[in-house]
Amino acid sequence: MKVPFVTKDQLEAIAAQYPTPFHLYDERGIRENARRLRAAFAWNPGYREYFAVKATPTPAILKLLKEEGCGCDCSSLAELIMAERCGITGEDIMFSSNETPPEEFQLADKLGAIMNLDDFTLIEDLERATGKIPEKVCCRYNPGGVFALGETREGFQVMDNPGDAKYGMTRAQISEAYRVLAAKGAREFGLHSFLASNTLSNEYYPVLARMLFQLAVELKEETGCRVTFINLSGGVGVPYHPDQPENDIAVIGEGVRKAYEEILVPAGLGDVALYTELGRFMLAPYGHLVTRAMHEKHIYKEYIGVDACACDLMRPAMYGSYHHITVMGKEHAPCDHKYDVVGSLCENNDKFAVDRMLPKIDRGDLLVIHDTGAHGRAMGYNYNGKLRSAELLLREDGSVDLIRRAETLEDYFATLVW
Ligand SMILES: *Cc1c(COP(=O)(O)O)cnc(C)c1O
């Protein structure tokens, strides 16, 4: 069962000050999770989490994670500027872009970020844009084919299709990239790969690590380049559905340690630092989209219209994703009504839930849509002239801070030419 991190009374008090819909984040949950992650990799002295900014690009969140020792993984000009303005610069930034324009390389270089090159041709682009090749540089690897873990402990399969993904370099390109970068002055090399998204398996990181560790050993032999860090990127998932298993980050950290000791240590690479770039795992469970039931409609199906829409949370419309819903104050009522919970867009996929069994919903009920802390507000858009909602942070002491105001009509009209 998924339990909201706020009570109905707390939410009503918050909603009296900040009208629904809004995104609410839980400081305590975010901090505790970040500490669990850090503890899981504490055996690796160079370990660092670079939070994937795209998941929740909000300064208060970046600063909070910075206090927990995290850097930023940026992939655009705006994300670089946001990191800098949060006091996150230098090697605390990983710049993992693709199809990168020169001005992005220039700013990343000015900030001293670690460059993670997505493609062989970016070596030349980087050099042209910044006038140099940095001493420390990372290359993104794509092994091609299909990545599958087979049956995991709970019978959930992890499968993804790197051969069809636009990211990374081939095996041959990685060797060549290392040689070319070394000839141009690079001295410290990193490896990065992202093979599967939202994995619910304690095996994903260990299997990925094993592959990258072996590759590091091969590259050292082939090219003589010194691999000093390996970036396991994102992809550790969260259970959106209450029946799904939760990842155990301590078990994941131990699995990676085993691979490290078996492969890197004997090859004389026992000083390689490990990095992660988690987004979803860091934030998703610690965010709620809070919305109010506005209408009920009885036609061929039963509909509940809420004041949030896909512009506040796109995942259900875009991927058909499940997001659990709690009707506040009715947590223990029987789920004996079948509803589609819908937003107001002129788009029939604007549905937060389809044929969902829920307690009877009345107008005015507050609904918590769970696990919206990552790739939620961040993917918001303005279709139908909808304004994106505010973001609030529930502090550990129970107070609430506005960390991004809701958009206004002035914001919406600001870019128009009449
Ligand atoms: C999106 C992204 C991440 C974060 O992915 P999650 O699935 O949210 O953990 C990390 N690294 C890169 C390069 C990404 O594009």
Side-chain angles (χ1 to χ4, degrees):
M1 198 174 119
K2 280 188 185 278
V3 180
F5 53 75
V6 274
T7 63
K8 176 170 190 267
D9 289 348
Q10 258 178 311
L11 262 194
E12 285 292 4
I14 297 168
Q17 194 177 357
Y18 304 103
T20 55
F22 54 78
H23 285 271
L24 179 68
Y25 304 98
D26 176 25
E27 176 180 17
R28 173 169 297 138
I30 295 168
R31 286 192 189 277
E32 287 175 357
N33 183 62
R35 287 171 199 174
R36 281 192 295 272
L37 172 67
R38 205 145 75 136
F41 287 93
W43 55 268
N44 180 255
Y47 173 72
R48 196 82 202 274
E49 154 71 5
Y50 289 89
F51 174 63
V53 174
K54 72 163 192 258
T56 320
T58 310
I61 299 294
L62 303 190
K63 288 180 195 167
L64 205 159
L65 289 171
K66 177 176 188 251
E67 287 173 13
E68 297 299 334
C70 302
C72 280
D73 173 46
C74 299
S75 55
S76 70
L77 213 50
E79 290 176 3
L80 285 167
I81 292 167
M82 191 182 290
E84 182 189 17
R85 289 187 58 177
C86 291
I88 299 161
T89 58
E91 293 197 357
D92 293 344
I93 302 177
M94 180 73 56
F95 184 56
S96 296
S97 60
N98 60 89
E99 321 311 334
T100 315
E103 59 274 21
E104 293 190 1
F105 274 139
Q106 284 156 6
L107 180 57
D109 174 56
K110 196 182 121 212
L111 296 178
I114 303 173
M115 305 285 186
N116 182 18
L117 299 178
D118 177 67
D119 184 46
F120 187 80
T121 59
L122 291 180
I123 299 173
E124 212 179 300
D125 288 9
L126 172 64
E127 193 176 28
R128 199 179 309 118
T130 65
K132 63 170 192 285
I133 289 297
E135 281 201 7
K136 183 170 178 176
V137 66
C138 187
C139 291
R140 187 164 179 171
Y141 174 52
N142 181 336
V146 169
F147 177 81
L149 282 182
E151 290 286 306
T152 58
R153 74 214 135 102
E154 296 84 4
F156 284 88
Q157 262 210 318
V158 170
M159 196 144 121
D160 229 308
N161 198 352
D164 194 36
K166 67 175 179 172
Y167 310 106
M169 307 185 201
T170 66
R171 176 65 182 80
Q173 286 172 337
I174 285 265
S175 293
E176 188 57 17
Y178 269 33
R179 283 200 189 87
V180 170
L181 288 162
K184 291 176 182 290
R187 292 288 164 264
E188 278 190 54
F189 294 79
L191 268 179
H192 170 283
S193 194
F194 193 158
L195 297 186
S197 206
N198 193 30
T199 59
L200 290 177
S201 161
N202 292 336
E203 293 304 311
Y204 170 64
Y205 257 6
V207 169
L208 169 67
R210 211 162 268 280
M211 185 192 89
L212 288 176
F213 294 170
Q214 262 146 11
L215 179 58
V217 174
E218 287 170 26
L219 286 169
K220 181 186 167 209
E221 284 162 9
E222 275 171 36
T223 67
C225 292
R226 202 171 136 240
V227 178
T228 60
F229 60 101
I230 289 176
N231 184 340
L232 301 175
S233 81
V236 176
V238 300
Y240 285 97
H241 199 284
D243 294 343
Q244 287 173 323
E246 203 170 350
N247 287 318
D248 185 335
I249 199 65
V251 173
I252 291 174
E254 276 310 300
V256 174
R257 186 219 282 256
K258 197 157 167 278
Y260 191 97
E261 286 170 356
E262 279 174 31
I263 301 166
L264 287 183
V265 174
L269 288 170
D271 57 354
V272 166
L274 295 184
Y275 300 156
T276 54
E277 276 173 2
L278 296 168
R280 192 185 315 273
F281 183 80
M282 303 306 288
L283 253 297
Y286 315 109
H288 291 335
L289 173 58
V290 180
T291 183
R292 213 180 269 282
M294 307 297 286
H295 298 280
E296 49 187 288
K297 177 164 180 170
H298 317 281
I299 48 170
Y300 308 102
K301 293 175 89 170
E302 297 295 301
Y303 292 93
I304 294 293
V306 297
D307 59 6
C309 69
C311 294
D312 302 300
L313 176 68
M314 199 185 201
R315 299 185 71 259
M318 192 172 179
Y319 313 118
S321 312
Y322 180 95
H323 279 267
H324 199 66
I325 294 178
T326 299
V327 184
M328 297 306 288
K330 298 183 177 174
E331 290 84 346
H332 304 293
C335 292
D336 53 3
H337 283 62
K338 191 194 267 188
Y339 291 119
D340 282 15
V341 178
V342 304
S344 56
L345 290 189
C346 304
E347 265 283 6
N348 198 41
N349 65 2
D350 185 14
K351 296 184 175 184
F352 293 116
V354 175
D355 295 334
R356 183 82 55 93
M357 294 309 294
L358 290 165
K360 180 177 187 313
I361 297 175
D362 295 298
R363 280 189 183 202
D365 279 349
L366 280 175
L367 273 58
V368 158
I369 303 180
H370 289 258
D371 303 310
T372 58
H375 312 294
R377 169 65 178 72
M379 289 170 82
Y381 60 117
N382 284 117
Y383 191 53
N384 258 186
K386 296 295 172 182
L387 305 173
R388 279 165 291 192
S389 54
E391 292 182 298
L392 307 173
L393 180 60
L394 176 66
R395 292 291 185 182
E396 288 186 288
D397 66 5
S399 63
V400 172
D401 289 344
L402 178 70
I403 58 173
R404 186 200 298 265
R405 67 163 172 79
E407 285 180 336
T408 63
L409 283 171
E410 286 71 41
D411 296 324
Y412 183 81
F413 286 108
T415 52
L416 295 176
V417 178
W418 297 89

Short mmCIF file of all heavy atoms in Angstrom, two decimals, residues 276-323:
data_model
loop_
_atom_site.label_atom_id
_atom_site.label_comp_id
_atom_site.label_asym_id
_atom_site.label_seq_id
_atom_site.Cartn_x
_atom_site.Cartn_y
_atom_site.Cartn_z
N THR A 276 27.26 7.85 -10.18
CA THR A 276 25.90 7.54 -10.63
C THR A 276 25.24 8.86 -11.03
O THR A 276 25.68 9.94 -10.62
CB THR A 276 25.06 6.85 -9.53
OG1 THR A 276 25.09 7.66 -8.34
CG2 THR A 276 25.63 5.48 -9.19
N GLU A 277 24.20 8.73 -11.84
CA GLU A 277 23.46 9.92 -12.33
C GLU A 277 21.98 9.63 -12.19
O GLU A 277 21.25 9.66 -13.17
CB GLU A 277 23.72 10.10 -13.83
CG GLU A 277 24.95 10.81 -14.20
CD GLU A 277 25.16 10.77 -15.72
OE1 GLU A 277 24.33 10.21 -16.46
OE2 GLU A 277 26.18 11.31 -16.15
N LEU A 278 21.56 9.33 -10.99
CA LEU A 278 20.17 8.94 -10.81
C LEU A 278 19.26 10.16 -10.76
O LEU A 278 19.63 11.19 -10.20
CB LEU A 278 20.03 8.11 -9.54
CG LEU A 278 20.79 6.79 -9.60
CD1 LEU A 278 20.89 6.14 -8.24
CD2 LEU A 278 20.14 5.85 -10.60
N GLY A 279 18.11 10.02 -11.37
CA GLY A 279 17.10 11.08 -11.33
C GLY A 279 15.86 10.54 -10.64
O GLY A 279 15.51 10.92 -9.53
N ARG A 280 15.21 9.59 -11.31
CA ARG A 280 13.97 9.01 -10.81
C ARG A 280 14.12 8.46 -9.39
O ARG A 280 13.31 8.75 -8.51
CB ARG A 280 13.56 7.86 -11.75
CG ARG A 280 12.17 7.35 -11.55
CD ARG A 280 11.93 6.13 -12.45
NE ARG A 280 12.40 6.31 -13.80
CZ ARG A 280 11.69 6.86 -14.79
NH1 ARG A 280 10.46 7.25 -14.55
NH2 ARG A 280 12.20 7.00 -15.99
N PHE A 281 15.19 7.68 -9.19
CA PHE A 281 15.38 7.04 -7.88
C PHE A 281 15.55 8.09 -6.77
O PHE A 281 15.14 7.86 -5.63
CB PHE A 281 16.62 6.13 -7.94
CG PHE A 281 16.87 5.38 -6.66
CD1 PHE A 281 16.14 4.23 -6.36
CD2 PHE A 281 17.82 5.82 -5.74
CE1 PHE A 281 16.35 3.55 -5.17
CE2 PHE A 281 18.03 5.14 -4.56
CZ PHE A 281 17.29 4.00 -4.26
N MET A 282 16.12 9.23 -7.10
CA MET A 282 16.38 10.26 -6.09
C MET A 282 15.12 11.02 -5.69
O MET A 282 15.00 11.51 -4.58
CB MET A 282 17.40 11.29 -6.61
CG MET A 282 18.72 10.71 -7.03
SD MET A 282 19.49 9.73 -5.75
CE MET A 282 20.00 10.99 -4.62
N LEU A 283 14.19 11.17 -6.62
CA LEU A 283 13.09 12.10 -6.38
C LEU A 283 11.67 11.54 -6.55
O LEU A 283 10.75 12.00 -5.86
CB LEU A 283 13.25 13.32 -7.29
CG LEU A 283 13.70 14.63 -6.66
CD1 LEU A 283 12.67 15.13 -5.64
CD2 LEU A 283 15.04 14.52 -5.99
N ALA A 284 11.47 10.59 -7.45
CA ALA A 284 10.08 10.22 -7.81
C ALA A 284 9.19 9.94 -6.60
O ALA A 284 8.12 10.52 -6.47
CB ALA A 284 10.06 9.05 -8.79
N PRO A 285 9.60 9.07 -5.66
CA PRO A 285 8.67 8.73 -4.57
C PRO A 285 8.42 9.88 -3.61
O PRO A 285 7.49 9.82 -2.81
CB PRO A 285 9.38 7.59 -3.82
CG PRO A 285 10.47 7.13 -4.73
CD PRO A 285 10.85 8.31 -5.57
N TYR A 286 9.27 10.91 -3.67
CA TYR A 286 9.19 11.99 -2.69
C TYR A 286 8.47 13.21 -3.26
O TYR A 286 8.67 14.32 -2.77
CB TYR A 286 10.61 12.30 -2.16
CG TYR A 286 11.32 11.01 -1.85
CD1 TYR A 286 12.37 10.56 -2.65
CD2 TYR A 286 10.86 10.19 -0.83
CE1 TYR A 286 12.97 9.33 -2.41
CE2 TYR A 286 11.45 8.95 -0.59
CZ TYR A 286 12.51 8.53 -1.39
OH TYR A 286 13.08 7.31 -1.17
N GLY A 287 7.67 12.99 -4.27
CA GLY A 287 6.85 14.05 -4.83
C GLY A 287 5.42 13.56 -5.02
O GLY A 287 5.19 12.42 -5.41
N HIS A 288 4.46 14.43 -4.67
CA HIS A 288 3.04 14.16 -4.93
C HIS A 288 2.52 15.27 -5.83
O HIS A 288 2.82 16.44 -5.59
CB HIS A 288 2.21 14.25 -3.65
CG HIS A 288 2.46 13.16 -2.64
ND1 HIS A 288 2.96 11.92 -2.95
CD2 HIS A 288 2.25 13.14 -1.29
CE1 HIS A 288 3.04 11.18 -1.85
NE2 HIS A 288 2.63 11.90 -0.83
N LEU A 289 1.70 14.90 -6.81
CA LEU A 289 0.89 15.92 -7.48
C LEU A 289 -0.45 15.96 -6.74
O LEU A 289 -1.14 14.93 -6.65
CB LEU A 289 0.70 15.57 -8.96
CG LEU A 289 -0.28 16.47 -9.74
CD1 LEU A 289 0.13 17.94 -9.69
CD2 LEU A 289 -0.38 16.00 -11.20
N VAL A 290 -0.77 17.11 -6.19
CA VAL A 290 -1.98 17.25 -5.37
C VAL A 290 -3.03 17.99 -6.20
O VAL A 290 -2.77 19.08 -6.73
CB VAL A 290 -1.67 18.03 -4.07
CG1 VAL A 290 -2.93 18.17 -3.24
CG2 VAL A 290 -0.57 17.31 -3.28
N THR A 291 -4.18 17.38 -6.30
CA THR A 291 -5.22 17.94 -7.16
C THR A 291 -6.58 17.73 -6.49
O THR A 291 -6.71 16.92 -5.59
CB THR A 291 -5.16 17.28 -8.56
OG1 THR A 291 -6.12 17.87 -9.42
CG2 THR A 291 -5.42 15.78 -8.51
N ARG A 292 -7.56 18.51 -6.92
CA ARG A 292 -8.88 18.42 -6.30
C ARG A 292 -9.91 17.93 -7.31
O ARG A 292 -9.85 18.30 -8.49
CB ARG A 292 -9.28 19.81 -5.78
CG ARG A 292 -10.12 19.77 -4.53
CD ARG A 292 -10.49 21.16 -4.08
NE ARG A 292 -9.58 21.78 -3.14
CZ ARG A 292 -9.51 21.50 -1.83
NH1 ARG A 292 -10.26 20.56 -1.31
NH2 ARG A 292 -8.69 22.15 -1.05
N ALA A 293 -10.83 17.10 -6.85
CA ALA A 293 -11.92 16.63 -7.71
C ALA A 293 -12.87 17.80 -7.96
O ALA A 293 -13.34 18.43 -7.01
CB ALA A 293 -12.67 15.47 -7.04
N MET A 294 -13.12 18.09 -9.23
CA MET A 294 -13.94 19.25 -9.60
C MET A 294 -15.33 18.84 -10.12
O MET A 294 -16.30 19.53 -9.92
CB MET A 294 -13.26 20.06 -10.71
CG MET A 294 -11.84 20.46 -10.41
SD MET A 294 -11.74 21.56 -9.00
CE MET A 294 -12.37 23.05 -9.74
N HIS A 295 -15.37 17.71 -10.85
CA HIS A 295 -16.61 17.31 -11.50
C HIS A 295 -16.75 15.80 -11.49
O HIS A 295 -15.76 15.10 -11.42
CB HIS A 295 -16.61 17.75 -12.98
CG HIS A 295 -16.53 19.22 -13.15
ND1 HIS A 295 -17.60 20.05 -13.02
CD2 HIS A 295 -15.48 20.02 -13.43
CE1 HIS A 295 -17.23 21.30 -13.21
NE2 HIS A 295 -15.94 21.31 -13.46
N GLU A 296 -17.98 15.36 -11.58
CA GLU A 296 -18.18 13.94 -11.88
C GLU A 296 -19.09 13.87 -13.09
O GLU A 296 -19.96 14.72 -13.28
CB GLU A 296 -18.75 13.19 -10.70
CG GLU A 296 -19.94 13.83 -10.03
CD GLU A 296 -20.33 13.07 -8.77
OE1 GLU A 296 -20.85 11.96 -8.90
OE2 GLU A 296 -20.11 13.61 -7.66
N LYS A 297 -18.85 12.88 -13.90
CA LYS A 297 -19.61 12.76 -15.14
C LYS A 297 -19.99 11.31 -15.33
O LYS A 297 -19.14 10.42 -15.16
CB LYS A 297 -18.73 13.26 -16.29
CG LYS A 297 -19.36 13.15 -17.65
CD LYS A 297 -18.62 13.99 -18.68
CE LYS A 297 -19.29 13.84 -20.02
NZ LYS A 297 -18.76 14.80 -21.00
N HIS A 298 -21.25 11.07 -15.66
CA HIS A 298 -21.73 9.70 -15.78
C HIS A 298 -22.22 9.51 -17.21
O HIS A 298 -23.33 9.96 -17.53
CB HIS A 298 -22.89 9.44 -14.80
CG HIS A 298 -22.64 10.01 -13.43
ND1 HIS A 298 -21.84 9.39 -12.51
CD2 HIS A 298 -23.04 11.16 -12.85
CE1 HIS A 298 -21.78 10.12 -11.40
NE2 HIS A 298 -22.50 11.21 -11.59
N ILE A 299 -21.40 8.93 -18.05
CA ILE A 299 -21.90 8.61 -19.41
C ILE A 299 -21.72 7.11 -19.62
O ILE A 299 -22.29 6.33 -18.88
CB ILE A 299 -21.28 9.52 -20.50
CG1 ILE A 299 -19.77 9.63 -20.39
CG2 ILE A 299 -21.92 10.92 -20.43
CD1 ILE A 299 -19.08 10.30 -21.57
N TYR A 300 -20.90 6.72 -20.58
CA TYR A 300 -20.71 5.28 -20.78
C TYR A 300 -19.78 4.72 -19.72
O TYR A 300 -19.71 3.53 -19.47
CB TYR A 300 -20.18 5.01 -22.19
CG TYR A 300 -21.05 5.67 -23.22
CD1 TYR A 300 -20.67 6.86 -23.83
CD2 TYR A 300 -22.30 5.13 -23.53
CE1 TYR A 300 -21.50 7.50 -24.72
CE2 TYR A 300 -23.14 5.77 -24.42
CZ TYR A 300 -22.73 6.95 -25.02
OH TYR A 300 -23.56 7.58 -25.89
N LYS A 301 -18.99 5.64 -19.13
CA LYS A 301 -18.12 5.31 -18.02
C LYS A 301 -18.30 6.39 -16.96
O LYS A 301 -18.91 7.42 -17.22
CB LYS A 301 -16.65 5.30 -18.48
CG LYS A 301 -16.30 4.20 -19.46
CD LYS A 301 -14.86 4.34 -19.94
CE LYS A 301 -13.91 3.61 -19.03
NZ LYS A 301 -12.54 3.54 -19.63
N GLU A 302 -17.71 6.14 -15.82
CA GLU A 302 -17.75 7.13 -14.74
C GLU A 302 -16.46 7.94 -14.78
O GLU A 302 -15.35 7.36 -14.75
CB GLU A 302 -17.84 6.42 -13.38
CG GLU A 302 -19.11 5.59 -13.20
CD GLU A 302 -20.34 6.48 -13.18
OE1 GLU A 302 -20.42 7.36 -12.31
OE2 GLU A 302 -21.21 6.32 -14.08
N TYR A 303 -16.60 9.25 -14.84
CA TYR A 303 -15.42 10.12 -14.89
C TYR A 303 -15.36 11.02 -13.66
O TYR A 303 -16.38 11.53 -13.20
CB TYR A 303 -15.47 11.02 -16.13
CG TYR A 303 -15.31 10.25 -17.41
CD1 TYR A 303 -16.43 9.81 -18.11
CD2 TYR A 303 -14.05 9.95 -17.92
CE1 TYR A 303 -16.30 9.08 -19.28
CE2 TYR A 303 -13.92 9.23 -19.09
CZ TYR A 303 -15.05 8.79 -19.77
OH TYR A 303 -14.91 8.07 -20.91
N ILE A 304 -14.14 11.24 -13.18
CA ILE A 304 -13.90 12.27 -12.19
C ILE A 304 -12.95 13.28 -12.83
O ILE A 304 -11.84 12.91 -13.24
CB ILE A 304 -13.26 11.68 -10.90
CG1 ILE A 304 -14.23 10.73 -10.19
CG2 ILE A 304 -12.79 12.80 -9.97
CD1 ILE A 304 -15.48 11.42 -9.61
N GLY A 305 -13.39 14.52 -12.94
CA GLY A 305 -12.55 15.58 -13.50
C GLY A 305 -11.82 16.27 -12.37
O GLY A 305 -12.42 16.63 -11.36
N VAL A 306 -10.51 16.44 -12.54
CA VAL A 306 -9.70 17.08 -11.50
C VAL A 306 -9.09 18.38 -12.04
O VAL A 306 -9.11 18.62 -13.25
CB VAL A 306 -8.60 16.13 -10.98
CG1 VAL A 306 -9.20 14.91 -10.32
CG2 VAL A 306 -7.64 15.72 -12.11
N ASP A 307 -8.53 19.18 -11.14
CA ASP A 307 -8.01 20.48 -11.60
C ASP A 307 -6.56 20.40 -12.11
O ASP A 307 -6.03 21.40 -12.57
CB ASP A 307 -8.18 21.57 -10.53
CG ASP A 307 -7.50 21.26 -9.22
OD1 ASP A 307 -6.77 20.26 -9.14
OD2 ASP A 307 -7.69 22.04 -8.26
N ALA A 308 -5.93 19.23 -12.04
CA ALA A 308 -4.64 19.04 -12.72
C ALA A 308 -4.92 18.41 -14.07
O ALA A 308 -6.01 17.90 -14.32
CB ALA A 308 -3.74 18.13 -11.90
N CYS A 309 -3.93 18.47 -14.95
CA CYS A 309 -4.09 17.83 -16.26
C CYS A 309 -2.73 17.31 -16.70
O CYS A 309 -1.74 17.44 -15.98
CB CYS A 309 -4.69 18.79 -17.28
SG CYS A 309 -3.56 20.13 -17.74
N ALA A 310 -2.69 16.74 -17.90
CA ALA A 310 -1.43 16.17 -18.39
C ALA A 310 -0.31 17.20 -18.46
O ALA A 310 0.87 16.85 -18.45
CB ALA A 310 -1.65 15.53 -19.76
N CYS A 311 -0.67 18.49 -18.51
CA CYS A 311 0.36 19.53 -18.52
C CYS A 311 1.15 19.56 -17.20
O CYS A 311 2.24 20.10 -17.14
CB CYS A 311 -0.25 20.90 -18.80
SG CYS A 311 -0.94 21.01 -20.45
N ASP A 312 0.57 19.02 -16.13
CA ASP A 312 1.25 18.94 -14.84
C ASP A 312 1.99 17.62 -14.68
O ASP A 312 2.92 17.52 -13.88
CB ASP A 312 0.23 19.04 -13.70
CG ASP A 312 -0.56 20.32 -13.76
OD1 ASP A 312 0.06 21.40 -13.69
OD2 ASP A 312 -1.80 20.25 -13.92
N LEU A 313 1.54 16.61 -15.39
CA LEU A 313 2.13 15.27 -15.29
C LEU A 313 1.82 14.53 -16.58
O LEU A 313 0.70 14.10 -16.81
CB LEU A 313 1.54 14.49 -14.09
CG LEU A 313 2.03 13.05 -13.96
CD1 LEU A 313 3.51 13.01 -13.57
CD2 LEU A 313 1.19 12.30 -12.95
N MET A 314 2.84 14.39 -17.40
CA MET A 314 2.63 13.89 -18.75
C MET A 314 2.76 12.37 -18.86
O MET A 314 2.35 11.78 -19.86
CB MET A 314 3.72 14.53 -19.61
CG MET A 314 3.47 14.54 -21.07
SD MET A 314 4.95 15.22 -21.84
CE MET A 314 4.29 15.74 -23.38
N ARG A 315 3.36 11.74 -17.85
CA ARG A 315 3.73 10.33 -18.01
C ARG A 315 2.54 9.42 -18.35
O ARG A 315 2.67 8.58 -19.25
CB ARG A 315 4.49 9.82 -16.78
CG ARG A 315 5.80 10.59 -16.54
CD ARG A 315 6.62 10.02 -15.39
NE ARG A 315 7.21 8.75 -15.73
CZ ARG A 315 6.76 7.58 -15.36
NH1 ARG A 315 5.71 7.48 -14.58
NH2 ARG A 315 7.36 6.48 -15.75
N PRO A 316 1.40 9.56 -17.69
CA PRO A 316 0.29 8.67 -18.07
C PRO A 316 -0.14 8.87 -19.53
O PRO A 316 -0.36 7.89 -20.25
CB PRO A 316 -0.83 9.07 -17.09
CG PRO A 316 -0.11 9.64 -15.91
CD PRO A 316 1.07 10.36 -16.49
N ALA A 317 -0.22 10.13 -19.96
CA ALA A 317 -0.65 10.39 -21.34
C ALA A 317 0.41 9.92 -22.34
O ALA A 317 0.10 9.37 -23.40
CB ALA A 317 -0.92 11.88 -21.52
N MET A 318 1.67 10.12 -21.98
CA MET A 318 2.75 9.85 -22.93
C MET A 318 3.13 8.37 -22.99
O MET A 318 3.36 7.82 -24.06
CB MET A 318 3.97 10.67 -22.52
CG MET A 318 5.07 10.71 -23.56
SD MET A 318 6.29 11.91 -22.99
CE MET A 318 7.48 11.80 -24.28
N TYR A 319 3.22 7.75 -21.83
CA TYR A 319 3.68 6.35 -21.79
C TYR A 319 2.62 5.38 -21.28
O TYR A 319 2.90 4.20 -21.11
CB TYR A 319 4.87 6.19 -20.84
CG TYR A 319 6.00 7.18 -20.95
CD1 TYR A 319 6.33 8.00 -19.88
CD2 TYR A 319 6.78 7.24 -22.10
CE1 TYR A 319 7.40 8.89 -19.94
CE2 TYR A 319 7.85 8.12 -22.17
CZ TYR A 319 8.15 8.94 -21.10
OH TYR A 319 9.21 9.81 -21.16
N GLY A 320 1.44 5.89 -20.96
CA GLY A 320 0.45 5.02 -20.32
C GLY A 320 0.88 4.60 -18.92
O GLY A 320 0.46 3.54 -18.42
N SER A 321 1.69 5.40 -18.28
CA SER A 321 2.25 5.01 -16.98
C SER A 321 1.20 4.95 -15.89
O SER A 321 0.29 5.77 -15.85
CB SER A 321 3.29 6.04 -16.52
OG SER A 321 4.17 6.34 -17.54
N TYR A 322 1.38 4.01 -15.00
CA TYR A 322 0.54 3.92 -13.81
C TYR A 322 1.08 4.87 -12.74
O TYR A 322 2.28 4.86 -12.44
CB TYR A 322 0.56 2.49 -13.26
CG TYR A 322 -0.30 2.32 -12.02
CD1 TYR A 322 -1.61 1.87 -12.11
CD2 TYR A 322 0.21 2.61 -10.76
CE1 TYR A 322 -2.40 1.71 -10.98
CE2 TYR A 322 -0.58 2.46 -9.61
CZ TYR A 322 -1.88 2.01 -9.74
OH TYR A 322 -2.65 1.87 -8.62
N HIS A 323 0.21 5.70 -12.18
CA HIS A 323 0.54 6.48 -10.98
C HIS A 323 -0.55 6.21 -9.96
O HIS A 323 -1.74 6.41 -10.26
CB HIS A 323 0.62 7.98 -11.28
CG HIS A 323 1.93 8.39 -11.88
ND1 HIS A 323 2.99 8.83 -11.13
CD2 HIS A 323 2.35 8.38 -13.16
CE1 HIS A 323 4.02 9.10 -11.93
NE2 HIS A 323 3.65 8.83 -13.17
#
